Amino acid sequence: MRRSSWILALVTDLVLVVLFSAIGMRTHEGGFTIAGLLGVAWPFAAGAVIGWLVARAWRRPAGMWPAGVLVWLFAVVAGLILRVATGGGFAISFGIVTLLVLGLFLIGWRALVGIYASLFGENSRLRRR
């Protein structure tokens, strides 16, 4: 894998984690500052980076397993643990929303890449026609 490919995948994951945090802030807090956004996003971004390291995601960054699943689960679980450990709140409903939205984001882009590759990649049925 080219270096730029895994860097792009890592940046995509982190941008989606920040987007998740920004949506949550706009929905629940109303106010929005960059410092506030970074304060909300950092536990989940750290969890995603831990997931990258555990999965060795740079090997197949767009792969569903292990990269996608482990990055997603570490972003959620480690993110929630770090959030609570540093004084952030927790509610079951927040945990469920975090699991679902980060799953949609972090698994979703990989699913779209997989679909695109199967339709238009070198070994796709469409290319053989």
Side-chain angles (χ1 to χ4, degrees):
M1 168 116 326
R2 291 189 339 242
R3 182 179 188 170
S4 60
S5 297
W6 72 260
I7 291 172
L8 180 60
L10 175 61
V11 168
T12 299
D13 283 339
L14 294 176
V15 165
L16 290 170
V17 167
V18 171
L19 178 62
F20 160 74
S21 301
I23 291 168
M25 286 180 67
R26 295 290 292 172
T27 302
H28 298 292
E29 295 179 14
F32 186 86
T33 65
I34 296 298
L37 177 61
L38 295 176
V40 171
W42 83 262
F44 303 102
V49 169
I50 293 168
W52 261 79
L53 295 172
V54 169
R56 297 179 185 182
W58 56 89
R59 292 180 175 184
R60 277 191 58 229
M64 199 66 68
W65 176 260
V69 171
L70 291 179
V71 169
W72 165 46
L73 293 178
F74 272 90
V76 172
V77 175
L80 290 172
I81 289 170
L82 288 169
R83 177 182 166 89
V84 170
T86 57
F90 176 78
I92 294 294
S93 59
F94 176 66
I96 293 169
V97 168
T98 301
L99 183 72
L100 295 175
V101 174
L102 286 179
L104 176 67
F105 285 2
L106 300 177
I107 297 292
W109 79 258
R110 288 174 169 88
L112 292 174
V113 166
I115 291 167
Y116 180 86
S118 68
L119 290 175
F120 302 107
E122 288 183 24
N123 297 322
S124 74
R125 291 182 191 164
L126 294 176
R127 285 198 143 223
R128 285 187 245 149
R129 290 182 183 187

